Amino acid sequence: MNDGPILAIETSCDETAAAVVDGRAICSNVVASQAELHTPYGGVVPEVAARHHLGTVNAVVDEALARAGRTLDDISHIAVTQRPGLIGALLIGLSTAKALAYAAGKPLIMVDHLHGHICASWLEPVELDAPFVSLVASGGHTRLDLVSDYRAPRLLGQTRDDAAGEAVDKGARLLGLGYPGGPALERLAAQGDRTAFTFPVGLGGKGERDFSYAGVKTALLYTVRDLGDDTQVHLADLAASYQEAVMRPLADRLIDAAIEHRVPAVSLGGGVAANGRLRELVQTQADARGLRLAVPDRALCTDNAAMIGAAAQFTPAIAWPDYLGYDAIATAPPGGIAA
C-alpha cells in the first residue's frame, strides 16, 4: 500500500473534486458540482464540462489542502483519475496532477474511476474489508465485482448496453421530470404503485450476472405513447413501476453473486447507490441471508475525490518524473479494473 497523506483529484465527468486522504481517514473532500450548467441541455455536455473543470480545478485543490490543514510538502503522493470518463474532462485533472507532482517532486498514482467507487467502502466510517461482492451503478457504468483483494477486483457481470443510471435519467425525461432525473423519479415513485405496470427485466435468467436496460427504456416509451393524454393520471404509478424494473435486477444479482461466492458482505457504489428503493431492496435481501451491507455516505457514492484517494492506496505509484508520458483514457479496460 501507498502510505502517507494522498492528494487526490477527480474530473472524469461533471464534478470537479479534490480530497486529502490519509489511510482510511478523509481529511477533506471538496466537490464543485456542474449540475446547474448542464440542466438546460438535459445531460452532460463534454465541452462545457471540460471548460468548467479548467476554471475550477486549482481552487478546488487549494480548498482541499486548506480544509485538511496540509500543504503540498505534507503530501506523500498525488493521485488522479486516469480512466474511464469524458476525455476532455479527464485531461484537465491529469494535467493538473502531473504539474503538481512534477513541481513538488512527488510520485503520481493513476486511478481507475470504477476502482474508486469500489474502494469508497474501505474508507471510514464504513471500513469494509475483503472479501465481498461490489455493485457499482452510475450514469455510465453498471457492474458486479468479486473483491477478494482491493488490489484486484474481478468482474462478474456488467451491462451489455445502457447503464442503470442512464436508464433512470432517460426514464425521468420521458415522464417529463427533467435532469438530473434520479432524485425526481425517486420522489415521484414514492407516491405510486410499483405493481401498476409491468416492465421487462433484461437478461432475467437464473444465474445471470450481466444487465440490460435498453429494453425497459423502450417499454416505458411505448407505454407513455399508448397512454397518451392519460399519462399524467398514471405518472406516479409509471415512475414507481419503472424504478422497480431498474432497481430490482441490481439487488437480485448482487445478492445472488454473494451467495454463489460465499462472501459475508456486499457493497453499493456509484450515483445510483443513493437511490432509497435500491438500498431497501438490497438491505431486505441481505438481512434475510445474513449478509452485511456496506453503503458509503451519499456524498461518497456520487463522484468525489476521496474514493480516488482510497483506490490510490491499492494502485502502484509511478516514480517522478516517469508519469509525464502517460495519457488519459476514455474507456474502461476490457474485463477487470486497471490497477
Side-chain angles (χ1 to χ4, degrees):
M1 292 182 62
N2 298 309
D3 296 324
I6 294 174
L7 169 65
I9 299 171
E10 152 64 25
T11 62
S12 65
C13 190
D14 63 335
E15 311 283 18
T16 312
V20 176
V21 175
D22 193 351
R24 282 180 152 156
I26 302 172
C27 304
S28 66
N29 192 25
V30 179
V31 179
S33 175
Q34 301 182 16
E36 291 186 5
L37 294 176
H38 301 283
T39 296
Y41 306 103
V44 177
V45 181
E47 179 66 16
V48 172
R51 288 181 179 274
H52 194 263
H53 286 311
L54 186 62
T56 308
V57 65
N58 287 336
V60 170
V61 168
D62 288 345
E63 185 172 351
L65 287 169
R67 288 189 188 182
R70 309 291 175 90
T71 69
L72 202 54
D73 289 339
D74 300 321
I75 299 299
S76 64
H77 299 76
I78 294 176
V80 64
T81 303
Q82 182 193 21
R83 67 188 301 171
L86 303 175
I87 192 64
L90 287 167
L91 284 168
I92 302 303
L94 182 58
S95 298
T96 302
K98 280 182 178 180
L100 289 171
Y102 183 80
K106 307 284 185 181
L108 184 67
I109 306 168
M110 296 195 180
V111 174
D112 186 308
H113 179 82
L114 301 176
H115 195 195
H117 278 304
I118 293 171
C119 292
S121 293
W122 181 79
L123 294 167
E124 296 177 349
V126 178
E127 298 185 80
L128 177 63
D129 291 319
F132 62 96
V133 173
S134 160
L135 169 67
V136 173
S138 67
H141 309 280
T142 303
R143 58 184 291 142
L144 287 172
D145 287 271
L146 174 62
V147 185
S148 299
D149 185 326
Y150 270 106
R151 291 171 294 185
R154 178 164 69 87
L155 180 66
L156 299 177
Q158 61 187 331
T159 183
R160 296 188 186 179
D161 41 56
D162 301 326
E166 181 186 359
V168 168
D169 284 338
K170 294 287 179 62
R173 188 183 306 172
L174 284 170
L175 297 177
L177 303 181
Y179 175 86
L185 185 74
E186 185 178 356
R187 286 193 297 270
L188 183 59
Q191 306 169 33
D193 177 3
R194 53 180 174 262
T195 65
F197 294 88
T198 300
F199 291 110
V201 174
L203 305 177
K206 184 174 177 59
E208 180 61 62
R209 294 289 175 261
D210 282 350
F211 303 90
S212 173
Y213 286 105
V216 70
K217 290 194 313 181
T218 303
L220 178 62
L221 172 64
Y222 288 159
T223 302
V224 169
R225 284 180 177 177
D226 291 344
L227 287 170
D229 293 339
D230 290 334
T231 297
Q232 290 299 315
V233 177
H234 301 284
L235 207 58
D237 289 345
L238 284 167
S241 301
Y242 182 76
Q243 177 179 254
E244 192 74 4
V246 173
M247 301 303 167
R248 187 167 287 279
L250 297 174
D252 290 349
R253 290 170 199 176
L254 172 61
I255 299 299
D256 286 350
I259 298 304
E260 177 188 349
H261 292 281
R262 300 179 180 180
V263 297
V266 294
S267 75
L268 297 178
V272 178
N275 180 272
R277 179 56 181 160
L278 175 60
R279 292 180 177 219
E280 179 185 11
L281 285 166
V282 176
Q283 187 70 70
T284 299
Q285 294 194 45
D287 289 345
R289 298 286 192 152
L291 298 171
R292 177 189 175 189
L293 170 59
V295 188
D297 183 81
R298 280 175 166 79
L300 294 180
C301 289
T302 53
D303 290 351
N304 67 91
M307 70 180 194
I308 302 304
Q313 298 182 64
F314 302 96
T315 305
I318 304 170
W320 183 97
D322 298 347
Y323 42 76
L324 294 178
Y326 285 70
D327 207 349
I329 304 171
T331 58
I337 296 289

